[in-house]
Amino acid sequence: MEQDSLIKYSFTYAPGGIALISAEGYFVRVNPAFGRLLGYTEDELANRQEKQLTSPNDPGVKEAAAPLLEPGAASRITVVKRYLRKDGGKVRVKLEVILIRDQDGAHAGFCAYASEWPEPEEPKMLQAAELYEMVSEHARDVISYGIDGVLQFVSPASLKRQLGFEPEELIGKHASEFIHPEDLESLGEQTFRESDSFICRVRHKQGYYIWFELSVKRVIDPEGTQVKEIYIGRDVSERERAQAALRHSEQNLAQSQRIARLGSFEWDALTSKMLWSDELSRILQTDRLAGVTCEELLARIHPNDREAVRKSMREALAGREIQLESRIVLSDGTVKFIRMQSMTTLTSNGRPLRISGTVQDITGQKLMLQMLEESVDRYTSLKKYNLDAIVSLNKSGIMTSANPAAETITGYSVLELIGMPFTDLLAPEEERAQTLLHKIMHEGALSSMEMKIVRKSGQPAYLLATPAPIYVNRKQVGCYIIAKDITEQKRKDELLLKSEKLTIAGQLAAGVAHEIRNPLTALKGFVQLMGRSEHSYSQYLPIMKEELERIETIISELLMLAKPQAVQMKIADLAVLVQDVVMLTSAQAMLLNIEIRFSTTSEPLPIRCDPNQIKQVFVNFLKNAIDAMPRGGMIDVSLEAAEQKLALVCIADQGCGITEEQLRQIGEPFYSTKEAGTGLGLLVSHKIIEHHKGRIHIASEVGVGTTIQVTLPLHR
């Protein structure tokens, strides 16, 4: 047999008790004989403080053996003391304590050889009467006996002190009368031995109940007719309250750990065994009572994280606090993320004694963090690679961020844009955009808008800007401006507008020529008449002047419609503008036997507009109405002031009308109900009216006619 095995065998099967005690006074290891002396198993005594199991009036081994640590002292000492047994009793032992030193000669602990040492005999046995009197008067426990449960004797002093009764109040009554009904029911379901103990609630004289630990000894008389019981009761209310508080605390701890998904563990460095909480068992999906070693637990760590965890464990064994995150692989293949923290308890010579710590399941947090990081990446990509400019403003209108597209559109770098007021980019005439930005910041107004900015190079650019408020904790802290460069689109729209104007002017040319021919014929006749006669025809001069002014007006309207002009917003009377258009188109209408009937209110209808563009819109509508009536008829043009400070223009014809399907497509580019039409007239008209904050509504019925309603905001 090898030497180590021989030593282990001798330690285990030694008839006398042997205990290894650390320098701090903790049991490190005991043999079975020592455990039998105290009524505990070897595992139950391991890592427990030796002083806790010592009778209160006796010293612990650490204190008793202190003289061994003095220079020149002996290497062993004899100690006689009493230990508290697991069953509540006491055992008197004799200990031969030997000092243990490590290889460096430093104090490492004690080795104690124990043997039971009987109590010294009393010099004289007390008489039964004296013993009865002493027990009755001075015992803290309530002592009583009875026959078949009927009480015949109760120690008076302790009874009065603990339950408030006098002995005569209990004698002759059954013991069950004083036990709580719930406890009596549970006790009735148990099978008791001849000598047994239990805990129940006993009624006080004042009506409340006190927790008692009752020991019962049943004695059957030789004849077997009567059963005598001896009862010894002890008030354990404080202990029960402490245990209840402990259970409540443990329940709260377990519940808190479950809510926080936080488990705890303790690793014994001497035995390499681990103990952990129920929550940690749920996290690891393992049996809490299973003897899992540290290496077995390490095997569950994800292979990519295993080396980092081993390094942290080496640091923990060196006494350092650790905090790490890793992945674990469960038995079903599921991967969890955990955060582990631990502290190490060292012996006096710096060796690890135990490692205690917590393990938290952070899988949910990790998934949320990954989702957040992915969301940030998506937002960054959207902002970085978006072809539209995206800038963020704070409540003061200062730009706090900008994407690369904003650099391209404005000509400024991101660093130049950050910290610049957004209004510095706007053209001087963009008062409306500044007002809208103020509303977005302070009133939460949302509306896309066109705005003109000045690039860093000084060149103008047109943007279609869409605001989006920024909310943090339900409070607006700024807004995003998403802007599309529509400079080229604006140029194309202007070309389209000019093209449409020229087309309309060409179509009106025939009617205008006919309208001009009539006054020219009259003028020609008057001139010929005046040339042949010697008389004065001054009465014809006003007529000639009137006809010339009519020709001038018609030509001016036609030129105004065809000539390219810059957009000039000003206040104009809508009734006057529409009346000018009616006069211009009447000539063409008369050629087709169409009458245009015009009616308006007596009050002016001022609007802020570009008069030339507004005229073009109504020329488009009247031209379409004329084209829809090849057989002649009536066109009604009316104006009135509508509700909500709006002006309403209504154009109703008696043409062929269009179907609902055609009506849904009206306004789309290159869609027209006319054979040679391009569909651009209505498209341009819609854009002009929208630019003037107005709306167009078209209603039509086949065979009846079409009605167009245009609403524009009045300027007050």
Side-chain angles (χ1 to χ4, degrees), residues 585-648:
T585 56
S586 294
Q588 184 181 8
M590 292 175 60
L591 292 175
L592 298 174
N593 197 26
I594 297 173
E595 180 184 354
I596 300 178
R597 189 163 52 190
F598 177 73
S599 63
T600 183
T601 62
S602 57
E603 297 180 359
L605 299 174
I607 61 171
R608 189 174 186 274
C609 66
D610 181 338
N612 190 35
Q613 290 187 349
I614 294 298
K615 286 182 179 181
Q616 180 178 348
V617 169
F618 291 109
V619 167
N620 279 337
F621 291 154
L622 285 173
K623 182 67 174 60
N624 289 340
I626 292 171
D627 291 342
M629 301 168 61
R631 298 180 181 179
M634 181 75 68
I635 298 176
D636 286 318
V637 180
S638 61
L639 288 88
E640 63 180 28
E643 297 179 355
Q644 300 179 349
K645 299 181 180 179
L646 296 175
L648 174 63

Side-chain angles (χ1 to χ4, degrees), residues 539-593:
Q539 68 270 23
Y540 297 126
L541 293 178
I543 299 175
M544 295 173 66
K545 182 180 179 182
E546 182 179 346
E547 292 298 331
L548 287 172
E549 289 176 351
R550 178 174 176 79
I551 293 172
E552 182 182 11
T553 300
I554 293 173
I555 292 175
S556 297
E557 290 294 330
L558 185 61
L559 289 175
M560 183 179 293
L561 184 65
K563 182 180 178 181
Q565 295 181 2
V567 176
Q568 294 182 353
M569 303 295 286
K570 61 183 181 180
I571 309 302
D573 190 343
L574 180 60
V576 174
L577 299 179
V578 175
Q579 188 174 13
D580 290 343
V581 172
V582 169
M583 183 185 68
L584 181 64
T585 56
S586 294
Q588 184 181 8
M590 292 175 60
L591 292 175
L592 298 174
N593 197 26

Side-chain angles (χ1 to χ4, degrees), residues 353-424:
L353 183 62
R354 71 179 62 85
I355 298 177
S356 304
T358 59
V359 174
Q360 185 176 20
D361 184 357
I362 59 171
T363 306
Q365 300 175 25
K366 278 291 184 180
L367 292 177
M368 290 182 65
L369 182 60
Q370 289 177 358
M371 292 174 62
L372 179 60
E373 290 175 349
E374 182 179 349
S375 177
V376 171
D377 290 342
R378 288 176 182 271
Y379 164 74
T380 303
S381 299
L382 175 65
K383 189 174 179 181
K384 182 177 180 180
Y385 300 107
N386 201 316
L387 297 179
D388 295 339
I390 302 176
V391 297
S392 60
L393 315 181
N394 60 18
K395 289 282 284 187
S396 301
I398 305 297
M399 287 181 281
T400 57
S401 69
N403 68 339
E407 291 182 310
T408 303
I409 293 174
T410 64
Y412 292 95
S413 67
V414 170
L415 293 178
E416 290 174 320
L417 290 173
I418 295 177
M420 179 191 296
F422 185 78
T423 52
D424 287 359

Side-chain angles (χ1 to χ4, degrees), residues 452-499:
K452 182 180 178 181
I453 67 168
V454 180
R455 303 179 195 265
K456 185 178 181 180
S457 62
Q459 296 296 320
Y462 293 91
L463 305 180
L464 178 61
T466 302
I470 302 174
Y471 284 95
V472 176
N473 296 327
R474 300 182 181 181
K475 182 179 180 181
Q476 185 177 357
V477 297
C479 76
Y480 289 109
I481 298 294
I482 305 169
K484 182 180 183 64
D485 187 354
I486 58 170
T487 306
E488 184 63 23
Q489 183 64 38
K490 289 283 287 185
R491 188 183 68 81
K492 292 179 180 179
D493 288 347
E494 290 177 2
L495 291 175
L496 179 64
L497 183 61
K498 293 175 183 178
S499 174

Side-chain angles (χ1 to χ4, degrees), residues 7-54:
I7 293 173
K8 183 177 180 180
Y9 183 88
S10 301
F11 180 88
T12 303
Y13 295 99
I18 303 175
L20 298 178
I21 302 171
S22 68
E24 290 79 17
Y26 288 86
F27 284 115
V28 177
R29 189 173 180 183
V30 301
N31 70 342
F34 190 95
R36 287 194 294 271
L37 280 175
L38 276 65
Y40 291 90
T41 65
E42 298 172 64
D43 291 338
E44 289 175 335
L45 288 175
N47 296 324
R48 293 194 62 176
Q49 193 173 13
E50 187 265 346
K51 178 65 175 176
Q52 292 179 347
L53 299 176
T54 301

